[in-house]
Amino acid sequence: MSMSAFAHLTSQRSAVRSAALRRLLPVLALTCLAAGSVAVPGHAAVAAPTHIGATGMQAAASFPTWGTRWVVHATPDIDSPAVGMINRTTAGQDRITADYQVDTGRRVCEGSACSTFMAHITQPATGFLTVVAVDIPEDRLPGVPVQAGQPDPQPASRQRTLQRAATWLTANNGRPVPYAQDKYWRDGYRQDCSGYASMALGLPAPGTNTQGLADRRHTRPIAMNELQPGDLVIDAIGDSNTRHVVIFERWNDAAHRSYTAYEQRGVHGTSHRSVTYGLAADSEFKAYRPLQYGN
């Protein structure tokens, strides 16, 4: 048998074995942060070829992926901001290159495959990807160095909301994300004020609308003088051209005459500035506290 025929036969056997394994894996509820439907329910036993550095030590490794719309995150935390996505339209269309991985201590599962590891990838995007998205039978990448992680014990914290909000200030190649009611940023969120606030709060993409943010499923009303970092100030009255929401960061003075907030606004896009929404007695803006903060 020629080498080319042998290679073709080997490829066919691998594909059959992969398909057989997938049929055996049960379809379970979606429990990871893959944004959207997943085409297949588990991992196949596919070997992961590696790239070897000049010293003989592994410098990076390349792996196949599976499923669709897996989010690449800014930090080794599945709740951190999205910086990209793999397999946008087709299961396994991308192949990732990883140089190290982190044990986050937070278990992520998809089908029968689970892992606490997130891989730092350099291709086709740069950021952190849950190892569950990689088409291997192991719960971590074989042969890839493990670095100490820094899991966040409060994934829904106020600081996390502000950190997410700040990412859009420079996400557009160092510039703010432009404002648009009918467009979506690369992380899947709508580019208007409520889509932006939804992103900062970690709500499902593409985000709820302004009235939805004021709904008791997400927030509760508070007095303006009770505002704390990460709370919202919302005008939920009117239509999509008049409603607005901003994310409170801090008071600018002891008298509470103005405050600094993050907002997504027309013409300017993502902004971080001093505002006075809601401070006038007759203002339609009201203060709200996201329920995820637990207080």
Side-chain angles (χ1 to χ4, degrees):
M1 180 182 296
S2 67
M3 291 299 294
S4 60
F6 178 77
H8 178 68
L9 178 60
T10 301
S11 176
Q12 285 184 319
R13 288 175 175 173
S14 177
V16 171
R17 182 171 64 251
S18 175
L21 282 172
R22 289 192 189 284
R23 285 195 295 271
L24 292 174
L25 293 173
V27 180
L28 301 179
L30 181 67
T31 56
C32 68
L33 291 189
S37 62
V38 178
V40 288
H43 290 272
V46 179
T50 59
H51 302 299
I52 307 299
T55 62
M57 299 297 290
Q58 181 171 305
S62 177
F63 297 88
T65 56
W66 72 286
T68 57
R69 299 179 63 81
W70 290 100
V71 174
V72 179
H73 295 272
T75 67
D77 188 325
I78 58 174
D79 290 324
S80 67
V83 294
M85 183 178 291
I86 66 168
N87 299 358
R88 282 183 174 273
T89 58
T90 305
Q93 74 183 74
D94 292 316
R95 188 179 185 90
I96 60 102
T97 299
D99 52 3
Y100 68 90
Q101 59 190 325
V102 174
D103 187 349
T104 68
R106 298 181 62 187
R107 190 172 178 81
V108 174
C109 296
E110 177 63 45
S112 61
C114 297
S115 178
T116 62
F117 287 85
M118 293 190 74
H120 180 261
I121 67 173
T122 57
Q123 293 290 337
T126 300
F128 291 87
L129 176 71
T130 173
V131 168
V132 179
V134 182
D135 199 4
I136 56 173
E138 296 93 335
D139 63 351
R140 67 177 180 177
L141 302 181
V144 176
V146 176
Q147 292 188 7
Q150 297 179 340
D152 188 337
Q154 297 179 330
S157 69
R158 297 174 178 277
Q159 189 60 34
R160 176 63 53 75
T161 297
L162 298 180
Q163 289 173 346
R164 282 177 172 148
T167 61
W168 273 27
L169 289 171
T170 57
N172 183 26
N173 294 322
R175 299 184 300 274
V177 172
Y179 178 91
Q181 293 186 3
D182 58 352
K183 294 182 180 179
Y184 303 85
W185 192 239
R186 62 182 62 131
D187 56 12
Y189 287 93
R190 201 174 53 254
Q191 292 173 219
D192 59 10
C193 63
S194 55
Y196 173 59
S198 297
M199 178 278 297
L201 290 170
L203 299 179
T208 186
N209 60 24
T210 308
Q211 290 177 312
L213 289 172
D215 189 277
R216 290 184 179 273
R217 290 173 297 177
H218 297 300
T219 61
R220 65 178 179 86
I222 59 173
M224 286 294 294
N225 62 9
E226 295 177 358
L227 282 168
Q228 297 181 38
D231 287 338
L232 305 180
V233 180
I234 304 174
D235 176 1
I237 299 174
D239 58 27
S240 60
N241 294 316
T242 61
R243 294 192 293 261
H244 195 47
V245 54
V246 302
I247 304 165
F248 179 90
E249 183 188 32
R250 66 180 185 275
W251 292 106
N252 294 332
D253 54 47
H256 292 186
R257 288 172 294 195
S258 67
Y259 57 92
T260 299
Y262 291 94
E263 66 176 323
Q264 185 73 356
R265 56 186 179 131
V267 180
H268 302 279
T270 312
S271 303
H272 182 222
R273 63 179 187 136
S274 176
V275 297
T276 58
Y277 301 128
L279 299 184
D282 59 350
S283 176
E284 294 180 344
F285 282 89
K286 307 298 179 185
Y288 294 84
R289 176 151 301 156
L291 300 181
Q292 61 184 251
Y293 299 150
N295 62 342

